[in-house]
Amino acid sequence: MTLLTCLLACMISTGAPGPGAWRWPLGPPAPKVVRAFSPPAVPWGAGHRGVDLAARPRQRVLAAGPGRVSYAGRLAGRGIVAVDHGVVRTTYLPVRPSVQVGRKVSAGTPLGILESGLNHCMTPCLHWGLIQGRTYLDPLTLVTRKVRLLPYWETPASPPRGEHHQAPQEPNMVLRDATSATGGALTGVVVAYGLAFAWRRRRRRLRSRRPPPGVIDLTRERRLRRTP
């Protein structure tokens, strides 16, 4: 199960915004991604904990989804707005806030305007973040959908009108199989009887043989002596 699937499952189970409740914090049209999400290997390591979206100076910043404003102020010399969505929260900077902490917002509610100055990107941009607990996630998973390719099977074309579709007939193999089986069985019986007859005839010939004159048949003598 992917991280996005787990995130969406948690949102549905806790009543948080579903997959269709999110939107880009800028636009329309959808902004260009200047720098993608690149999480650090360790929580204290270097990385890019969000995405940078190309923007215009003093452009209006909108809430990406319904929730409640949990922070609106300045931090480390930059204006920041954070919105709590239940399971996750989104962050927006640098923004000059136009909302107060505790206000309920919906997707598309203005949060403020982009602050002037190039204190984060080489060009004006909005840093958009997504956090679950203390874990940073890729916010693009909220507004983009991955396409999954499924196997495709062609369905047989229906016959034109006026033509009757005749189901394919199965070959009649019953009679042929029975005949073949019977013939094989008869052949085996004939061979067996022939061998038995030949063996009995051979035994009779051996028994009917008499020793030449002057030769004593020891087997016959023993049999006669055993007879009382």
Side-chain angles (χ1 to χ4, degrees):
M1 183 180 291
T2 63
L3 184 59
L4 175 58
T5 305
C6 296
L7 176 61
L8 296 180
C10 293
M11 290 181 178
I12 295 174
S13 61
T14 57
W22 302 95
R23 54 152 296 154
W24 291 91
L26 300 175
K32 178 182 178 181
V33 179
V34 178
R35 185 178 178 187
F37 176 67
S38 179
V42 292
W44 58 86
H48 194 234
R49 299 169 174 83
V51 295
D52 292 338
L53 307 177
R56 303 185 308 272
R58 302 181 61 84
Q59 184 175 354
R60 188 172 60 171
V61 179
L62 311 175
R68 185 185 298 271
V69 178
S70 58
Y71 184 87
R74 303 195 67 80
L75 183 64
R78 296 177 297 181
I80 299 177
V81 177
V83 179
D84 190 353
H85 305 281
V87 178
V88 296
R89 64 184 184 276
T90 52
T91 58
Y92 314 80
L93 65 101
V95 176
R96 183 181 300 172
S98 60
V99 291
Q100 301 294 328
V101 175
R103 177 183 172 183
K104 291 184 178 180
V105 297
S106 59
T109 299
L111 302 177
I113 61 174
L114 188 72
E115 288 185 339
S116 59
L118 304 178
N119 54 2
H120 184 73
C121 305
M122 298 301 296
T123 57
C125 71
L126 172 70
H127 182 79
W128 183 30
L130 176 65
I131 308 173
Q132 181 181 14
R134 296 184 178 181
T135 304
Y136 288 85
L137 307 175
D138 187 358
L140 295 183
T141 57
L142 300 176
V143 293
T144 58
R145 299 290 180 266
K146 293 183 178 180
V147 178
R148 181 180 179 183
L149 298 178
L150 298 176
Y152 173 75
W153 292 276
E154 293 184 358
T155 56
S158 58
R161 293 185 178 179
E163 296 184 6
H164 297 283
H165 179 69
Q166 184 178 3
Q169 297 181 355
E170 296 183 357
N172 188 4
M173 299 292 293
V174 177
L175 182 60
R176 184 174 61 184
D177 292 345
T179 304
S180 301
T182 305
L186 291 177
T187 302
V189 171
V190 171
V191 172
Y193 272 105
L195 292 177
F197 178 78
W199 173 247
R200 289 179 182 177
R201 187 174 181 181
R202 179 179 177 81
R203 289 184 61 183
R204 290 176 182 177
R205 289 180 179 179
L206 292 177
R207 290 178 180 179
S208 61
R209 290 180 179 179
R210 295 289 185 269
V215 177
I216 301 174
D217 189 350
L218 296 179
T219 302
R220 184 170 179 275
E221 292 295 331
R222 291 193 188 100
R223 186 167 57 255
L224 294 176
R225 292 179 182 179
R226 291 175 183 174
T227 305

